Amino acid sequence: MTPTFPNSWKIARFNPIRKKNNTGNVSEYRPIALLPVLSKVVEHVLKKQLVTYIDRSSFLYDCQREFRKVRGTSMLLLGLTDRIRNCVTGHIICILLSLDLKKAVDRVDYFVLIKKLPTVYGLGKSVCKLLFSYLAVRKQFVQIGDITSSTLLVKSGVHQGLLLFILLLNDFFKFIENCTPYAYADDVEIVFVGNRRSLNVLQSKFDLALAS
């Protein structure tokens, strides 16, 4: 009724899990966030409603495959490899640009995201208020065995499974031209195709996409 997400549901307990071949460096631990069960239930409901609305409204570019029916990672890889294979068999130059957006989900600005939701995607005022309440004033602490750290305020970042990061990234694809992008959340592959005799033109396309 109030569109407010309870603060007690936004406190995450992190259990660091060691990755394979870990050398003991803190950055090589995988942070696993544990949230209250009721928080996860509401997240599931929000995700389901957002995915249904965005899918029906066709807001996302076709190149984005996460949260899309019949467009999973298998279809992305098949499309990408088929595109490259056609270039090789057709004796055409093909350049693949792989973008690794480091800590992208953790660096999302709440205010930029919430401002975009009603203007770009048409979400109502109460929905945006609920989502902002869900994102803002989140806290976290680390627990190892019986030892816990102090609780800190989280100032940026979104839940990876809630579609919100994809809605923020979606505008990126309208700025790149003369190429074929393939994306799964923050993993983006861009294919540039050109004639062997016009390498300078292909280089221009590549440079323009990077500048965008």
Side-chain angles (χ1 to χ4, degrees):
M1 296 296 293
T2 60
T4 302
F5 201 87
N7 287 332
S8 60
W9 293 1
K10 297 188 290 184
I11 302 175
R13 173 167 58 91
F14 277 86
N15 286 353
I17 305 298
R18 296 186 67 171
K19 300 179 182 178
K20 291 183 179 180
N21 302 321
N22 187 291
T23 60
N25 192 308
V26 174
S27 63
E28 296 177 349
Y29 281 81
R30 188 185 306 278
I32 305 298
L34 300 177
L35 288 162
V37 174
L38 289 177
S39 173
K40 305 300 292 184
V41 171
V42 176
E43 283 179 4
H44 178 75
V45 174
L46 285 173
K47 173 185 173 181
K48 186 175 181 179
Q49 293 184 349
L50 278 174
V51 170
T52 300
Y53 171 73
I54 295 298
D55 191 51
R56 288 178 179 176
S57 304
S58 301
F59 284 119
L60 297 182
Y61 281 83
D62 289 338
C63 62
Q64 180 59 255
R65 304 304 175 95
E66 189 173 12
F67 298 114
R68 315 292 293 277
K69 293 182 179 179
V70 201
R71 298 187 189 185
T73 52
S74 298
M75 294 301 296
L76 185 149
L77 291 172
L78 285 172
L80 180 59
T81 53
D82 189 57
R83 177 70 166 162
I84 296 173
R85 186 182 296 111
N86 289 337
C87 292
V88 173
T89 56
H91 302 288
I92 300 173
I93 293 293
C94 172
I95 297 178
L96 176 64
L97 173 63
S98 297
L99 300 180
D100 181 13
L101 306 178
K102 186 177 181 181
K103 300 290 184 181
V105 175
D106 298 330
R107 299 185 181 187
V108 172
D109 188 301
Y110 303 146
F111 295 96
V112 173
L113 172 63
I114 296 299
K115 185 178 181 180
K116 179 178 290 188
L117 294 180
T119 57
V120 177
Y121 301 105
L123 293 182
K125 183 177 180 180
S126 61
V127 177
C128 293
K129 184 178 178 181
L130 175 60
L131 289 174
F132 183 75
S133 175
Y134 166 81
L135 293 171
V137 199
R138 300 190 75 86
K139 297 181 179 180
Q140 64 185 35
F141 66 93
V142 178
Q143 180 174 356
I144 302 177
D146 296 330
I147 302 175
T148 59
S149 70
S150 57
T151 302
L152 297 178
L153 182 67
V154 182
K155 298 181 180 180
S156 64
V158 296
H159 191 287
Q160 194 163 5
L162 245 187
L163 182 68
L164 297 177
F165 173 76
I166 292 178
L167 298 183
L168 184 66
L169 180 68
N170 195 49
D171 283 355
F172 168 76
F173 301 107
K174 74 179 180 181
F175 293 108
I176 56 175
E177 300 177 345
N178 303 314
C179 60
T180 306
Y182 299 84
Y184 193 86
D186 57 339
D187 295 321
V188 181
E189 313 290 332
I190 305 176
V191 177
F192 300 86
V193 176
N195 193 294
R196 290 176 180 270
R197 299 178 180 179
S198 304
L199 292 180
N200 58 330
V201 176
L202 184 59
Q203 181 67 51
S204 298
K205 294 179 181 179
F206 185 83
D207 294 339
L208 183 60
L210 284 179
S212 300

